[in-house]
Each structure stands twice: as structure tokens, then as C-alpha cells.
């Protein structure tokens, strides 16, 4: 086939993706300055958007790349918030408590992975839901929480509302940037192709040397930390902790919606999905039941007509790669 | 192309891969029963046998897809019976699957890249070169950027081979990669396998199409009902009465 094989090159970044990444970096810098001039309402809404984006990225990393479809990620969302309250009660300064709480709740994923990752497919999905319900019950046993009445992160009251608002915003922005960067770097590296191989065929992955359990575990714990961080951020914005709100399965529904509508298994898709979800909520959230009906209808329309999600569609149509995870071998006929 | 790679007679070098007293049961069903199998360094062994004889099951036991119910597998004199498939692959035992198992959501290039970077332990440019070499050998280079789920059956089988090669194996276990080929395609495959032999890779190749098989192998093994019923020089095995019987009596395609 090749007498004198010209060295073929493997393309990862394209001029378009470099431009897109620079634009995103520019946007992040602009966002960092937004609290200096934006209204309180805008700051609060953007903070919420950042939390949604974290959740969407984490669910996508878990299910879209790792093949681990979970309807129980609210377990970590709730445990993160709970851990932050506990740490703050024990005297840890409140903002460090938010970050430490997320890491602690994420650490729960390590022992949990020992049995959760033995479950396959639907069993894992439902098993995680059971885990979330159990976590909810256990948290309610803590006297500090006062059962379903819940409690508040009172330490935050030491800050004036304006300071708090801006600090929450910056923490959420930073958490989102770190979450996106870490997931992006991991998926672009060796772990990325390994977990996708596990997702597509576990036995074949093992047969070419992939440590299946280890790969799943990394992505499971990463996703747990991310969802827990989203939970502590949610706590920072709302201050109150009612267990049933945090451990509600609605969070899983939101994550699934954002990832599916945006494009499961693409890096950009779920971010787009989170923005879409956020816009729908901002526009129609006040309409209550009709909003939920609209969400459901949108999910059905997308799964029927755009099964690869909005970004999957765009990517195929225009072969755009903003934040490239994959590899492209440049063949001679392309030049 | 009759090969001259035969193991030197009378020189009992320790086998590269050996399975002794292998039994495999699925509940009450006995699929392998007292199988002894050896493969020398750089040797190529063909396995034939009627459907359901236990060929794929033996290959699974050699590759570590599941442990045998009894018996021992040794690789380079070390006991690997309890080593799982990933571990054995990293040691140098690669395999293809009879029913292809592509990573559908990834490109052909990425499919082989996982193999080169995990099983083969290659990094960066070295890994890319390994992938390009494997794809070139299997005639798949121009499909490198295709999503694997869009491939037809023949290309999926080629991908099985390319992916196994990506791991830089010492032993390659092949399960019916030659079915459904035209004569020209079969000739290309024989050429590819010949190249692998020149590179010193030892082969176990399960194949129903014996005339392709005999062009590349040193030794032929025939299995029937979970046992090895003949093992030796290909022509002699094919002339063996028990082998002829197994095919006439069994479910030959
Ligand atoms: N996981 C399993 N569970 C139960 N029975 C199995 C399993 N795998 C194989 N068998 C049975 O073991 C027997 C041997 O199967 P095997 O796949 O090894 O045959 P084979 O020689 O490869 O046949 P073929 O030529 O059709 O590929 C068959 O009867 C099959 O149904
Ligand atoms: Mg078989």
C-alpha cells in the first residue's frame, strides 16, 4: 500500500477550535467582571446557569462518555450541601466549607463505587436512585438537619447580601471553569478513549488491555465531586437546606434533559443544553405545570427528530469542533 | 505459500503459551473437557472443528475472558490462569472476536488508538505510528476517520484484527476473521498474516475455511465436542479418520 510512507499527521486542534477556545476564554474573562456592573437579578440568574452547566458537564462525562447512566446523581448534590453545613457548624470558614464539602461528598463515591459499579445498565441507573434515597434518609437522621424541616447555612449571613451574591457568582464561575477544564483535559487524554471504549463494549475494552473498573471509577468519582460542588453552590445561593429539595430526583431529570437535548457524548452539547434549559426556565418557569409539560414535550421532540442532540446535529452538519476531544488522521487525499 | 516456520523437531523449547487440563462448564453444560494445548514462540496453529466444538470457548480461556472451570494456563512459563483479559493483553496476548465488537461511537482510528495506548503502552507519536501501521496492514487506513458503527461486517472483522495488532502482541488469537471473503480478499488476508508471522508473532487461528488456513499455519488442531481429537501436521490431521468422522457426523456448514 505504501512504498514510501509519508508521515501522516494526526489533527486534534483546528484553526476553528483554537478560535473558539480563545473566544470562550475571552467570554470567561468578561463574565468574571460582570458582577461589577450587572444587576443583582442578572448575577443571581447567571450563578444558577453556571450550576446547571456544571451538572450537565458532569452527567455527560458519566453517561455520555463513561456509559454510566445514573438517575441518582442528586445523592452527591445533596451530600455536598449537607457536608458543607456540617463543616460550617464545626467551625470551618464558610467558603472553604463549600469546597471541602464537595470534595468530602465526592470521596463517598470511592467506597460506593465498589458495589455500584458492579451493577450494569439499568440496574446501575436504578441502584443510584436507591443510593440517593438512602443518602436522603441518613442525612435526615442527623439532628442538626431537623428532618424535612431542614436548616440554613447561617454562617453566610455574616456577609452582606451584595457581597454574598458576588462571591457566590465568582465561586460558581470558577467551579464551572475548573469542572469544564478538568473534564476536557481528562477526556482528551488517554482516559478519554479508554472510557469511551468501556462505554461501547466492556468486554472488547478489557481484551485490548483497558482496566474497565478503574476507568469507570475515575469518571464516577469525578462526576460525584462535580455534582456535589453544584450542590454546595446551590446551598450558597439559597442558604436553606431542605433535604427533599436537594435529594430530589428532579435534578437527575434536569441533567438528563440538558445532556440529551444538547447532545450526549459531545463535549459542547450539554453546555448548550444547559443554556437552553436555563432559557426555557427563565421564560416559562413561572407558568408552573405548563413549563414542565413544555420540558417533556421538548425532550420528546428532540429524541424523535434530533436523537444526537442539538450539538450532535450541528457537528455532523457543519463538521464543527469547538472543543475537540477526538482524533482526526489527515489522509493524503485530503490535502 | 507453504511456510517453513515449523518448530524444530526434537528440540523441546518451553512453549510460549500452554493450557493444561482445561475444562469449562456453563452450569451443567460441559463445553471443554480435558483440553491440552500448546503454542511455541513464533508458531502458527490453526484450529478447526464443527460448530459448537468449543473452539471459541478455548480461545476465551486462553485470552482470559473467563477463567476455566479446571486446568491451568501458562504464558512464558508464568501461571496466568487467574489473570484477567486486560492483564493478559498487557502481557502480550491479543485476540479478535468471532462476532465483532467495535467501539461504535468512536472512529476507526480511535478504536485502534485505545489498543495501542492501553494494551500496547505506546505514547504520543509512537502510539499514532502504531495505529497507522496496524490500519495499513489491515487495509483500513482510508477508513481511519469513519465512526466504527457505520462499518459493514467485513470491515468490522478487519477492525478486530487491526485493534488486536495495535496492542503489539506476542501471541495473536484469531477467531474466524476469514469468513465471507472473496478469493482476492482471502489472498490479501493470507498476505497480511504472513507479514505478522515474519514479525515473529505467534498465532492461533480458528477458521472453517481450511484452504486459507493451511497456507499460513505450521500445525493444525481439530476439536470436537469439547476435546482435541487431532493435533499435528496439517495434511495428516485432515486425513485423520476421527477428523473426517467429526465433520461428516457433526454439523458441518
Ligand atoms: N457463555 C456461554 N454460556 C452457555 N453456553 C455457552 C456459552 N458460550 C458457549 N456456550 C456453548 O458452548 C458450546 C461451544 O461453543 P463455542 O462458541 O466455543 O463453539 P465454537 O467451536 O466456537 O463454534 P462455532 O464454530 O459455531 O463458532 C456451544 O454449545 C455453546 O452454545
Ligand atoms: Mg466460535
Amino acid at each position: 500500500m505504501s512504498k514510501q510512507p509519508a508521515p501522516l499527521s494526526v489533527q486534534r486542534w483546528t484553526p476553528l477550535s483554537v478560535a473558539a477556545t480563545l473566544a470562550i476564554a475571552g467570554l470567561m474573562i468578561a463574565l468574571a467582571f460582570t458582577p461589577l456592573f450587572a444587576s443583582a437579578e442578572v448575577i443571581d440568574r447567571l450563578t444558577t446557569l453556571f450550576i446547571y452547566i456544571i451538572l450537565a458537564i458532569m452527567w455527560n462525562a458519566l453517561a455520555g462518555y463513561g456509559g454510566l447512566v445514573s438517575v441518582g446523581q442528586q445523592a452527591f448534590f445533596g451530600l455536598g450541601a449537607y457536608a458543607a453545613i456540617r463543616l460550617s457548624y464545626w467551625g470551618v470558614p464558610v467558603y472553604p466549607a463549600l469546597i471541602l464539602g464537595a470534595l468530602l461528598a465526592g470521596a463517598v463515591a470511592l467506597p460506593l463505587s465498589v458495589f455500584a459499579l458492579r451493577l450494569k445498565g439499568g440496574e446501575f441507573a436504578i441502584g443510584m436512585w436507591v443510593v440517593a434515597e438512602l443518602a436522603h434518609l441518613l442525612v435526615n437522621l442527623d439532628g442538626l438537619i431537623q428532618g424535612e424541616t431542614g436548616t440554613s447555612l447561617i454562617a453566610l449571613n455574616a456577609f452582606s447580601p451584595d457581597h454574598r451574591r458576588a462571591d457566590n457568582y465568582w465561586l460558581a464561575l470558577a467551579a464551572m471553569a475548573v469542572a469544564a477544564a478538568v473534564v476536557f483535559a481528562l477526556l482528551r487524554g488517554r482516559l478519554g478513549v479508554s472510557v469511551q471504549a468501556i462505554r461501547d463494549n466492556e468486554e472488547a475494552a478489557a481484551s485490548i488491555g483497558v482496566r474497565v473498573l478503574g476507568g469507570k471509577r475515575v469518571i464516577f468519582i469525578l462526576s460525584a465531586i462535580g455534582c456535589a460542588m453544584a450542590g454546595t453552590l446551590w446551598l450558597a445561593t439559597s442558604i436553606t437546606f431542605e433535604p427533599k429539595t436537594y435529594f430530589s430526583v428532579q435534578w437527575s431529570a434536569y441533567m438528563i434533559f440538558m445532556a440529551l437535548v444538547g447532545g450526549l457524548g459531545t463535549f459542547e452539547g450539554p453546555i448548550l443544553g444547559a443554556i437552553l434549559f436555563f432559557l426555557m426556565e427563565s421564560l416559562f418557569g413561572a407558568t408552573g405545570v405548563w413549563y414542565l409539560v413544555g420540558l417533556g414535550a421538548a425532550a420528546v421532540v428532540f429524541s424523535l427528530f434530533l436523537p444526537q442532540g442539538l450539538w450532535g446535529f450541528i457537528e455532523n452538519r457543519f463538521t464543527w469542533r469547538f472543543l475537540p476531544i477526538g482524533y482526526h488522521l489527515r489522509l493524503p487525499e485530503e490535502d | 505459500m507453504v511456510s517453513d516456520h515449523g518448530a524444530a523437531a526434537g528440540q523441546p523449547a518451553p512453549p510460549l503459551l500452554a493450557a493444561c487440563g482445561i475444562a469449562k462448564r456453563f452450569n451443567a453444560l460441559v463445553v471443554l473437557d480435558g483440553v491440552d494445548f500448546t503454542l511455541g514462540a513464533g508458531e502458527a496453529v490453526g484450529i478447526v472443528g464443527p460448530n459448537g466444538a468449543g473452539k471459541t470457548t478455548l480461545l476465551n480461556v486462553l485470552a482470559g475472558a473467563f477463567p476455566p472451570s479446571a486446568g491451568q494456563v501458562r504464558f512464558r512459563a508464568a501461571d496466568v490462569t487467574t489473570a484477567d483479559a486486560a492483564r493478559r493483553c498487557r502481557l502480550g496476548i491479543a485476540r479478535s472476536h468471532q462476532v465483532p465488537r467495535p467501539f461504535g461511537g468512536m472512529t476507526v482510528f480511535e478504536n485502534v488508538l485505545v489498543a495501542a495506548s492501553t494494551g500496547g503502552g505506546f505514547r504520543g507519536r509512537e502510539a499514532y505510528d502504531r495505529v497507522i501501521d496496524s490500519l495499513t496492514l489491515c487495509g483500513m487506513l482510508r477508513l481511519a476517520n469513519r465512526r466504527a458503527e457505520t462499518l459493514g461486517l467485513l470491515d468490522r472483522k478487519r477492525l478486530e484484527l487491526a485493534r488486536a495488532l495495535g496492542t503489539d502482541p506476542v501471541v495473536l488469537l484469531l477467531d474466524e476473521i476469514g469468513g465471507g471473503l472473496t478469493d482476492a480478499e482471502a489472498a490479501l488476508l493470507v498476505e497480511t498474516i504472513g507479514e505478522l508471522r515474519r514479525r515473529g508473532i505467534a498465532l492461533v487461528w480458528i477458521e472453517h475455511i481450511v484452504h486459507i488456513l493451511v497456507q499460513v499455519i505450521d500445525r493444525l488442531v481439530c476439536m470436537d465436542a469439547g476435546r482435541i481429537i487431532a493435533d499435528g501436521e496439517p495434511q495428516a490431521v485432515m486425513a485423520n479418520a476421527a477428523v473426517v468422522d467429526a465433520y461428516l457426523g457433526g454439523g458441518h456448514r
Side-chain angles (χ1 to χ4, degrees), chain A residues 317-329:
Chain A
R317 188 68 186 270
F318 305 103
T319 58
W320 286 352
R321 301 278 186 285
F322 278 8
L323 297 164
I325 300 279
Y327 299 77
H328 183 90
L329 183 66

Side-chain angles (χ1 to χ4, degrees), chain A residues 201, chain B residues 56 96-102 153 156-157 160 175-176:
Chain A
N201 197 309
Chain B
T56 299
S96 74
H97 296 90
Q98 180 173 353
V99 178
R101 294 168 169 267
L153 179 62
R156 286 175 186 226
K157 287 192 177 185
E160 281 290 327
D175 199 351
E176 300 199 22

